[in-house]
Amino acid sequence: MSEVVTVCPYCGAGCEMVLKVEKGKVVEIKPLEEDDNFLCPKGVRAQEFIQHEGRLRRPLIRRNGNLEEAGWEEAIDLIATKLASLVAEHGPDSLGFLGSGTITNEENYVFQKFARAVIGTNNVDHCATLCHGTSVAAMTQALGSGAATNCFEDIPKAEVLFIIGYNPEASHPKIFERRIWKSKWLGNKVIVADTRRTSVAKDVDVFMQCKPGTDVVYLNAMANVIIAEGLENKEFINSRTEGFEEFKQVVARYTPEYAEKISGVPAETIKEAARIYATSGSSAILWGMGITQHTHGTDNVYAIVNLALLTGNVGRVNAGLNPMRGQNNVQGACDMGMLRTVYPGAQPVDDPKVKAKFAQLWGTDSLPDKVGFASTEFIPQALEGKIKGLYIVAENPAVSHANLNEITKALDQVEFMVVQDLFLTETARYADVVLPSCSWLEKDGTYTRGDRKVQRVRAALPPLGESKTDWEIISLIAAKMGKGSLFAYTNTADIFDEIGKASDKYAGISHARIDLEGGIYWPCPSSDSPGTPTLHLEEFPRGLGKFTPVDYVDPAEAPDAEYSLILTTGRDYHHFGTRVMTRKVAFLNQESPEAYLEINPEDASKYQIETGDRVKVASRRGDITVTANVTPDILPGVVFIPWHFAEQPVNKLTNDALDPVAKTPETKVCAVKISKC
Ligand code: SF4
């Protein structure tokens, strides 16, 4: 029996766990005691899918329309030849590279380096574009950094928690159970704004139940109340911000009474929330995809940042701005430059000095210098015949992206597609080559959890079958394409050392240091820096924090006589992502076997629907059939379906209209009609 300490493969809460290993199997998973002694039902069973019969054990190559087993050499040879010929024929931007918030920092770093230094394109992206891309965009503009400003340990210590469009019980069970409940128990105040009365919204000080897509209105109205009642932090505004006067003029139009008409939140409730948020000793805002997945998601985040600047609740401990990152390493994937706009360390791809720095570090003079396409743009580009090839690592756009009929059409149409994953996912079924990658239990490296803490991932088992780690696979392809010297790593510590040279934020962190001291918060610029749990204590990276006035804009699709209900989507407590992993865990499937429709009793009675009835739900883009769950926790006129389930894929219905800045689709609002089956 041996023990290995590592990090959970699922959510951005980043629980550390102890694996008990016996005779080549993980026989038990326990929480690391110093880490709050908590694991949710997903984490405690996270070994159960590892030896599942469906795990890919050998590469697959499509022959005569079918995926057939092949050897590694043949698969690598085919990929290298095909990628080189597509680049030669159509140019490097004819290829798109989709990394992942579930693979390690080292793997994302190597993958984006391959796309840029070997292929020559900035068409690199990962799931951040679907979730917190709008948070990164707005926070970078307003503060100079797109990351969470405070650490998770601060959450129970904030005198006020303002939770917006975020269901912590489903998204980050540990944050819900160990941080937010502790905060309530300590007597701190909690405000929740959401379309659904989620578990966290029960028994709170203020609950603002808003119509989907109206967040800018009630957030601006809170600012209106704070200024009207003289509750703003004048000293902070004067010394640390700019743009206040223009902001003040815009929010003057957003009276609580006007906001009530648009958002449905009573004016008195908005006033109460504003007073509580502005007058505490410290207030923290936590938000999720209820805020970000809109055509105006970037504006929503600007409105949140404005509130923190107005009250001086950023750049302080126990306060701050916290976009709650969904997947375990989505923050790390952003940090590693798995984005179309930036190299590792959030350094812009269109800055010549940055390009020169990476050309020198990587020993190549052929780096691209224009911003690439987002993953949500790969699809229209593929349908137009401009993107000819896709390389996808541990992502499943055939379930996770909006308007799935268009996605699957595009996946079918691309000339060449490679997928690296654990299982033959819905996306991998469209691929020309499928490569078996190692699971979290079979690899070494780091994840960066949602609050910027860099933690060690440690292998407990050897690779299953012939599977390889993602960084090894990419290095083999690079070598076959004549660029092996750029990827001459012997292990993941080597890769991490190069990451430290690429990004000042990671410069003082090493595998050895984390092994000795535990996880470290970036920025950590030198080996004697303790790391930085709280950002912006003295100043913002852009200097002054910038107020950005925003006006309310309607969602892209409104209900009408035919499609009279608003559909919104979200997570379920028992599942993760597109269920690539949780679908293989018996307990989780027993607890939550299929998608469901939450509907208010008023609407249910109109359609004569009861809990347990089968209901067809249709939008202008497609239809699915799900089981009804009648609940007063959702507003009349609004229905909810979780997005994890490939068998009832709600993204067949969702709208692929994009936020113009972050290119995030509006999966939180679309118009639907329902009928009882
Ligand atoms: Fe894993 Fe998140 Fe559950 Fe912790 S809360 S055990 S990180 S899924």
mmCIF file with all atom_site columns, all heavy atoms in Angstrom, residues 8 42 170 269 293 356 441 444 450 544 546 560:
data_model
loop_
_atom_site.group_PDB
_atom_site.id
_atom_site.type_symbol
_atom_site.label_atom_id
_atom_site.label_alt_id
_atom_site.label_comp_id
_atom_site.label_asym_id
_atom_site.label_entity_id
_atom_site.label_seq_id
_atom_site.pdbx_PDB_ins_code
_atom_site.Cartn_x
_atom_site.Cartn_y
_atom_site.Cartn_z
_atom_site.occupancy
_atom_site.B_iso_or_equiv
_atom_site.pdbx_formal_charge
_atom_site.auth_seq_id
_atom_site.auth_comp_id
_atom_site.auth_asym_id
_atom_site.auth_atom_id
_atom_site.pdbx_PDB_model_num
ATOM 1  N N   . CYS A 1 8   ? -7.851  16.901 -7.204  1.00 0.00 ? 8   CYS A N   1
ATOM 2  C CA  . CYS A 1 8   ? -9.054  16.368 -7.854  1.00 0.00 ? 8   CYS A CA  1
ATOM 3  C C   . CYS A 1 8   ? -9.087  16.752 -9.337  1.00 0.00 ? 8   CYS A C   1
ATOM 4  O O   . CYS A 1 8   ? -8.705  17.865 -9.701  1.00 0.00 ? 8   CYS A O   1
ATOM 5  C CB  . CYS A 1 8   ? -10.285 16.910 -7.133  1.00 0.00 ? 8   CYS A CB  1
ATOM 6  S SG  . CYS A 1 8   ? -11.843 16.413 -7.880  1.00 0.00 ? 8   CYS A SG  1
ATOM 7  N N   . LYS A 1 42  ? -18.288 13.574 -6.324  1.00 0.00 ? 42  LYS A N   1
ATOM 8  C CA  . LYS A 1 42  ? -17.503 13.385 -7.554  1.00 0.00 ? 42  LYS A CA  1
ATOM 9  C C   . LYS A 1 42  ? -16.052 13.060 -7.199  1.00 0.00 ? 42  LYS A C   1
ATOM 10 O O   . LYS A 1 42  ? -15.470 12.092 -7.685  1.00 0.00 ? 42  LYS A O   1
ATOM 11 C CB  . LYS A 1 42  ? -17.555 14.653 -8.421  1.00 0.00 ? 42  LYS A CB  1
ATOM 12 C CG  . LYS A 1 42  ? -18.867 14.826 -9.145  1.00 0.00 ? 42  LYS A CG  1
ATOM 13 C CD  . LYS A 1 42  ? -18.943 16.148 -9.891  1.00 0.00 ? 42  LYS A CD  1
ATOM 14 C CE  . LYS A 1 42  ? -19.419 17.262 -9.001  1.00 0.00 ? 42  LYS A CE  1
ATOM 15 N NZ  . LYS A 1 42  ? -20.052 18.391 -9.680  1.00 0.00 ? 42  LYS A NZ  1
ATOM 16 N N   . ALA A 1 170 ? -23.600 23.168 -7.220  1.00 0.00 ? 170 ALA A N   1
ATOM 17 C CA  . ALA A 1 170 ? -23.382 22.347 -8.413  1.00 0.00 ? 170 ALA A CA  1
ATOM 18 C C   . ALA A 1 170 ? -21.990 22.566 -9.006  1.00 0.00 ? 170 ALA A C   1
ATOM 19 O O   . ALA A 1 170 ? -21.381 21.644 -9.525  1.00 0.00 ? 170 ALA A O   1
ATOM 20 C CB  . ALA A 1 170 ? -24.443 22.666 -9.471  1.00 0.00 ? 170 ALA A CB  1
ATOM 21 N N   . THR A 1 269 ? -35.764 45.764 -2.685  1.00 0.00 ? 269 THR A N   1
ATOM 22 C CA  . THR A 1 269 ? -34.755 44.703 -2.534  1.00 0.00 ? 269 THR A CA  1
ATOM 23 C C   . THR A 1 269 ? -33.416 45.171 -3.086  1.00 0.00 ? 269 THR A C   1
ATOM 24 O O   . THR A 1 269 ? -32.352 44.915 -2.502  1.00 0.00 ? 269 THR A O   1
ATOM 25 C CB  . THR A 1 269 ? -35.236 43.426 -3.268  1.00 0.00 ? 269 THR A CB  1
ATOM 26 O OG1 . THR A 1 269 ? -36.537 43.109 -2.813  1.00 0.00 ? 269 THR A OG1 1
ATOM 27 C CG2 . THR A 1 269 ? -34.315 42.252 -3.011  1.00 0.00 ? 269 THR A CG2 1
ATOM 28 N N   . GLN A 1 293 ? -22.254 34.059 -19.653 1.00 0.00 ? 293 GLN A N   1
ATOM 29 C CA  . GLN A 1 293 ? -22.659 33.426 -20.926 1.00 0.00 ? 293 GLN A CA  1
ATOM 30 C C   . GLN A 1 293 ? -23.805 34.190 -21.579 1.00 0.00 ? 293 GLN A C   1
ATOM 31 O O   . GLN A 1 293 ? -24.932 33.684 -21.718 1.00 0.00 ? 293 GLN A O   1
ATOM 32 C CB  . GLN A 1 293 ? -23.044 31.965 -20.679 1.00 0.00 ? 293 GLN A CB  1
ATOM 33 C CG  . GLN A 1 293 ? -21.828 31.107 -20.327 1.00 0.00 ? 293 GLN A CG  1
ATOM 34 C CD  . GLN A 1 293 ? -22.179 29.657 -20.089 1.00 0.00 ? 293 GLN A CD  1
ATOM 35 O OE1 . GLN A 1 293 ? -23.247 29.346 -19.564 1.00 0.00 ? 293 GLN A OE1 1
ATOM 36 N NE2 . GLN A 1 293 ? -21.278 28.759 -20.452 1.00 0.00 ? 293 GLN A NE2 1
ATOM 37 N N   . ALA A 1 356 ? 9.120   38.962 -29.930 1.00 0.00 ? 356 ALA A N   1
ATOM 38 C CA  . ALA A 1 356 ? 10.584  38.802 -29.951 1.00 0.00 ? 356 ALA A CA  1
ATOM 39 C C   . ALA A 1 356 ? 11.051  37.992 -28.739 1.00 0.00 ? 356 ALA A C   1
ATOM 40 O O   . ALA A 1 356 ? 11.946  37.147 -28.843 1.00 0.00 ? 356 ALA A O   1
ATOM 41 C CB  . ALA A 1 356 ? 11.243  40.177 -29.969 1.00 0.00 ? 356 ALA A CB  1
ATOM 42 N N   . LEU A 1 441 ? -4.708  10.435 -13.030 1.00 0.00 ? 441 LEU A N   1
ATOM 43 C CA  . LEU A 1 441 ? -4.034  9.532  -12.086 1.00 0.00 ? 441 LEU A CA  1
ATOM 44 C C   . LEU A 1 441 ? -2.720  9.004  -12.636 1.00 0.00 ? 441 LEU A C   1
ATOM 45 O O   . LEU A 1 441 ? -1.953  8.366  -11.930 1.00 0.00 ? 441 LEU A O   1
ATOM 46 C CB  . LEU A 1 441 ? -4.944  8.329  -11.809 1.00 0.00 ? 441 LEU A CB  1
ATOM 47 C CG  . LEU A 1 441 ? -5.947  8.500  -10.691 1.00 0.00 ? 441 LEU A CG  1
ATOM 48 C CD1 . LEU A 1 441 ? -6.837  7.280  -10.590 1.00 0.00 ? 441 LEU A CD1 1
ATOM 49 C CD2 . LEU A 1 441 ? -5.227  8.721  -9.377  1.00 0.00 ? 441 LEU A CD2 1
ATOM 50 N N   . ASP A 1 444 ? 1.916   13.626 -14.199 1.00 0.00 ? 444 ASP A N   1
ATOM 51 C CA  . ASP A 1 444 ? 2.618   14.480 -13.267 1.00 0.00 ? 444 ASP A CA  1
ATOM 52 C C   . ASP A 1 444 ? 2.574   15.916 -13.792 1.00 0.00 ? 444 ASP A C   1
ATOM 53 O O   . ASP A 1 444 ? 2.560   16.118 -14.994 1.00 0.00 ? 444 ASP A O   1
ATOM 54 C CB  . ASP A 1 444 ? 4.080   13.999 -13.269 1.00 0.00 ? 444 ASP A CB  1
ATOM 55 C CG  . ASP A 1 444 ? 4.756   14.316 -11.983 1.00 0.00 ? 444 ASP A CG  1
ATOM 56 O OD1 . ASP A 1 444 ? 4.333   13.779 -10.962 1.00 0.00 ? 444 ASP A OD1 1
ATOM 57 O OD2 . ASP A 1 444 ? 5.703   15.107 -12.015 1.00 0.00 ? 444 ASP A OD2 1
ATOM 58 N N   . GLY A 1 450 ? -8.894  27.918 -9.248  1.00 0.00 ? 450 GLY A N   1
ATOM 59 C CA  . GLY A 1 450 ? -9.583  29.143 -9.639  1.00 0.00 ? 450 GLY A CA  1
ATOM 60 C C   . GLY A 1 450 ? -9.122  30.414 -8.957  1.00 0.00 ? 450 GLY A C   1
ATOM 61 O O   . GLY A 1 450 ? -9.404  31.524 -9.437  1.00 0.00 ? 450 GLY A O   1
ATOM 62 N N   . LEU A 1 544 ? -4.495  53.010 -12.510 1.00 0.00 ? 544 LEU A N   1
ATOM 63 C CA  . LEU A 1 544 ? -5.769  53.275 -11.840 1.00 0.00 ? 544 LEU A CA  1
ATOM 64 C C   . LEU A 1 544 ? -6.824  52.277 -12.303 1.00 0.00 ? 544 LEU A C   1
ATOM 65 O O   . LEU A 1 544 ? -6.839  51.863 -13.473 1.00 0.00 ? 544 LEU A O   1
ATOM 66 C CB  . LEU A 1 544 ? -6.237  54.703 -12.174 1.00 0.00 ? 544 LEU A CB  1
ATOM 67 C CG  . LEU A 1 544 ? -5.339  55.839 -11.661 1.00 0.00 ? 544 LEU A CG  1
ATOM 68 C CD1 . LEU A 1 544 ? -5.819  57.189 -12.188 1.00 0.00 ? 544 LEU A CD1 1
ATOM 69 C CD2 . LEU A 1 544 ? -5.294  55.850 -10.126 1.00 0.00 ? 544 LEU A CD2 1
ATOM 70 N N   . LYS A 1 546 ? -10.379 51.378 -13.682 1.00 0.00 ? 546 LYS A N   1
ATOM 71 C CA  . LYS A 1 546 ? -11.164 52.200 -14.614 1.00 0.00 ? 546 LYS A CA  1
ATOM 72 C C   . LYS A 1 546 ? -12.659 51.870 -14.511 1.00 0.00 ? 546 LYS A C   1
ATOM 73 O O   . LYS A 1 546 ? -13.058 50.720 -14.716 1.00 0.00 ? 546 LYS A O   1
ATOM 74 C CB  . LYS A 1 546 ? -10.683 51.911 -16.037 1.00 0.00 ? 546 LYS A CB  1
ATOM 75 C CG  . LYS A 1 546 ? -11.273 52.798 -17.101 1.00 0.00 ? 546 LYS A CG  1
ATOM 76 C CD  . LYS A 1 546 ? -10.522 52.558 -18.423 1.00 0.00 ? 546 LYS A CD  1
ATOM 77 C CE  . LYS A 1 546 ? -10.996 53.465 -19.521 1.00 0.00 ? 546 LYS A CE  1
ATOM 78 N NZ  . LYS A 1 546 ? -12.283 53.132 -20.054 1.00 0.00 ? 546 LYS A NZ  1
ATOM 79 N N   . ASP A 1 560 ? -41.502 35.068 -27.926 1.00 0.00 ? 560 ASP A N   1
ATOM 80 C CA  . ASP A 1 560 ? -42.578 35.653 -28.735 1.00 0.00 ? 560 ASP A CA  1
ATOM 81 C C   . ASP A 1 560 ? -43.808 34.756 -28.624 1.00 0.00 ? 560 ASP A C   1
ATOM 82 O O   . ASP A 1 560 ? -43.847 33.857 -27.775 1.00 0.00 ? 560 ASP A O   1
ATOM 83 C CB  . ASP A 1 560 ? -42.123 35.831 -30.193 1.00 0.00 ? 560 ASP A CB  1
ATOM 84 C CG  . ASP A 1 560 ? -41.676 34.517 -30.826 1.00 0.00 ? 560 ASP A CG  1
ATOM 85 O OD1 . ASP A 1 560 ? -42.028 33.449 -30.281 1.00 0.00 ? 560 ASP A OD1 1
ATOM 86 O OD2 . ASP A 1 560 ? -40.974 34.545 -31.849 1.00 0.00 ? 560 ASP A OD2 1
#
